[in-house]
């Protein structure tokens, strides 16, 4: 099944189905195809850059973040279904001038971009809400200050060995693999379910010394149980792996990042929606990620996400240590 057909066939599942959300998802898919192309090409540039000048490499990465951002912005503006965009790459919300549109999109256009110059996977993460402000007016910050449980759809694209788009509209999770010769996404992973348990642990232990006591004891427990640590350094890639094999990804608070590093609106929330829809879980160590009330656009949140029992266990460890 092609993505377009799948979206059309499932349109009646959308709360206010009238084709707009379907179009919006297609716009995102289109932008991701373009970005995939840019990233493939950047690989070549990166390899050359490595031999030469480090600064150029740094600029390259930043450039790609911006390229991805611009591609999405354009696709969403042209698609006309989005009135506002919140992106990791710009501080203010973007008014697409489509004031009649019903939806707003939060996104991290290129997650894990430091992976680019070493040819490791990167991703895009997105979250879609219905606006709160009236149709016909410009988007407001309020439109974005909604809890995860209000998301209409969320997903990610992983630019890896192949490009895969995974999304949910609250009726399970489906994954589509890009077939370059056809230029189409094809349903390759229908109804993805996450195992309740796993042995993969994805965490950067650099800040172990200043992690909360509960996290430290959980990590000690994982060591004792001989869990294996796999960390790609790109949230999308680590999450994707754990989604299929069972596992947990953590980015706890530490001295360096007192609220963790990841952004609530366009990193934690969308992946939490997917995790839950696949039977997994996500918390900030206390609260369900989906129930956190955002208070600012780029706010950070600790993240404990993955197989349900693993997330339950680390959360228990944290509560017990309080
Ligand atoms: P980015 O959005 O600037 O790429 O930062 C988010 C990334 C995540 O993809 C990844 O999991 C994390 O930062 C890695 O951070 P660290 O290097 O501190 O482990
Ligand atoms: Mg990111």
């Amino acid at each position: 099944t092609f993505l377009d057909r799948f979206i059309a066939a499932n349109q009646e599942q959308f709360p206010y189905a009238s084709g707009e959300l379907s179009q919006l998802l297609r716009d995102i898919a289109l932008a991701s195809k373009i970005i995939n192309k840019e990233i493939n090409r950047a690989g070549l540039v990166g390899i050359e850059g490595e031999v030469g000048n480090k600064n150029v490499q740094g600029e390259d990465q930043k450039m790609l973040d911006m390229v991805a951002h611009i591609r999405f912005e354009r696709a969403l503006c042209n698609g006309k279904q989005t009135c506002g965009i919140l992106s990791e790459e710009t501080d203010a919300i973007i008014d697409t001038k489509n004031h009649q549109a019903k939806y707003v999109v939060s996104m991290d256009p290129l997650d894990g971009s430091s992976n680019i110059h070493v040819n490791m996977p990167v991703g895009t993460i997105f979250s879609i809400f219905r606006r709160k402000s009236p149709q016909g007016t410009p988007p407001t910050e309020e439109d974005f200050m909604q809890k995860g449980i209000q998301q209409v759809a969320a997903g990610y694209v992983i630019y890896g060995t192949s490009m895969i788009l995974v999304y949910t509209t609250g009726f399970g999770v489906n994954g589509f693999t890009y077939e370059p010769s056809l230029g189409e996404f094809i349903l390759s992973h229908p109804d993805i379910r996450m195992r309740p348990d796993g042995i993969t642990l994805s965490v950067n232990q650099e800040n172990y010394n200043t992690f909360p006591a509960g996290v430290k004891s959980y990590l000690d427990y994982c060591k004792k149980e001989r869990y294996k640590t796999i960390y790609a350094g790109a949230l999308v890639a680590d999450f994707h792996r754990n989604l299929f094999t069972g596992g947990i990804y953590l980015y706890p608070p530490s001295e360096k990042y007192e609220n963790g590093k990841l952004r609530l609106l366009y990193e934690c929330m969308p992946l939490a929606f997917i995790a839950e829809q696949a039977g997994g879980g996500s918390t900030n160590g206390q609260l369900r990620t989906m129930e956190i009330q955002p208070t600012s656009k780029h706010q950070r949140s600790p993240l404990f996400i993955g197989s349900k029992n693993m997330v339950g266990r680390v959360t228990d460890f944290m509560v017990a240590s309080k």
Side-chain angles (χ1 to χ4, degrees):
T1 312
F2 290 138
L3 175 66
D4 283 7
R5 229 174 266 169
F6 183 89
I7 290 173
N10 289 285
Q11 188 167 300
E12 72 277 6
Q13 290 180 340
F14 301 156
Y16 313 87
S18 55
E20 287 128 320
L21 183 60
S22 302
Q23 180 57 43
L24 175 45
L25 289 167
R26 284 195 289 264
D27 296 339
I28 291 174
L30 172 67
S32 70
K33 289 181 199 175
I34 299 170
I35 292 165
N36 187 47
K37 227 174 135 180
E38 312 264 13
I39 290 172
N40 288 169
R41 218 178 44 183
L44 281 174
V45 178
I47 290 160
E48 285 186 334
E50 197 139 273
V51 187
N53 189 330
K54 271 194 177 158
N55 282 341
V56 175
Q57 255 186 67
E59 278 168 23
D60 267 355
Q61 281 170 42
K62 277 198 193 109
M63 216 175 74
L64 264 164
D65 277 324
M66 250 354 253
V67 166
H69 166 89
I70 290 165
R71 295 302 184 197
F72 270 102
E73 183 181 346
R74 256 185 227 163
L76 294 178
C77 287
N78 293 338
K80 305 241 184 296
Q81 311 308 331
T82 310
C83 66
I85 304 168
L86 171 67
S87 162
E88 179 168 16
E89 299 308 321
T90 51
D91 192 33
I93 58 174
I94 297 165
D95 179 346
T96 62
K97 307 285 183 215
N98 299 319
H99 294 170
Q100 286 302 332
K102 291 178 190 161
Y103 298 101
V104 293
V105 176
S106 305
M107 62 173 180
D108 181 354
L110 201 62
D111 179 61
S113 51
S114 67
N115 268 0
I116 293 253
H117 74 295
V118 288
N119 201 26
M120 294 273 286
V122 290
T124 292
I125 312 174
F126 62 90
S127 160
I128 304 173
F129 287 98
R130 278 181 75 86
R131 67 187 300 176
K132 301 213 92 168
S133 53
Q135 263 176 280
T137 63
T140 64
E141 279 198 30
E142 283 296 290
D143 294 329
F144 294 90
M145 297 299 119
Q146 304 193 50
K147 291 184 182 175
I149 45 174
Q150 312 273 31
Q151 289 173 102
V152 187
Y156 65 83
V157 181
I158 176 166
Y159 310 95
T161 43
S162 32
M163 168 164 63
I164 299 185
L165 185 151
V166 174
Y167 80 95
T168 182
T169 55
F171 295 87
V173 181
N174 292 286
F176 300 79
T177 303
Y178 184 60
E179 163 53 78
S181 64
L182 299 174
E184 297 274 5
F185 281 103
I186 293 170
L187 180 63
S188 49
H189 302 85
D191 195 19
I192 300 169
R193 304 297 300 165
M194 194 168 204
R195 290 184 196 163
D197 281 292
I199 56 157
T200 304
L201 175 67
S202 304
V203 61
N204 178 352
Q205 302 213 34
E206 185 188 353
N207 303 310
Y208 176 93
N209 288 337
T210 59
F211 281 164
V215 175
K216 283 186 180 172
S217 12
Y218 178 71
L219 293 177
D220 298 343
Y221 164 89
C222 293
K223 203 166 183 182
K224 211 177 81 224
E225 296 290 315
R226 303 173 62 97
Y227 284 11
K228 63 179 175 187
T229 304
I230 301 184
Y231 194 65
L235 173 62
V236 169
D238 287 311
F239 176 79
H240 185 74
R241 186 177 225 285
N242 292 337
L243 182 63
F244 286 94
T245 62
I248 185 168
Y249 174 100
L250 354 168
Y251 213 109
S254 63
E255 198 176 79
K256 187 168 166 195
Y257 296 110
E258 56 173 0
N259 285 312
K261 179 184 177 193
L262 302 171
R263 317 291 182 131
L264 178 61
L265 286 173
Y266 41 79
E267 292 180 321
C268 305
M269 265 186 190
L271 296 187
F273 192 13
I274 291 175
E276 288 195 2
Q277 283 294 316
S282 177
T283 74
N284 67 356
Q286 287 162 295
L287 290 175
R288 191 177 155 212
T289 305
M290 295 278 276
E291 281 175 15
I292 301 171
Q293 173 63 53
T295 51
S296 75
K297 294 180 302 236
H298 298 284
Q299 98 187 57
R300 296 176 197 266
S301 165
L303 183 65
F304 301 84
I305 189 167
S307 289
K308 195 166 188 148
N309 297 340
M310 298 176 88
V311 174
R313 182 166 282 123
V314 67
T315 309
D316 289 347
F317 268 98
M318 290 195 70
V319 171
S321 75
K322 284 267 148 77

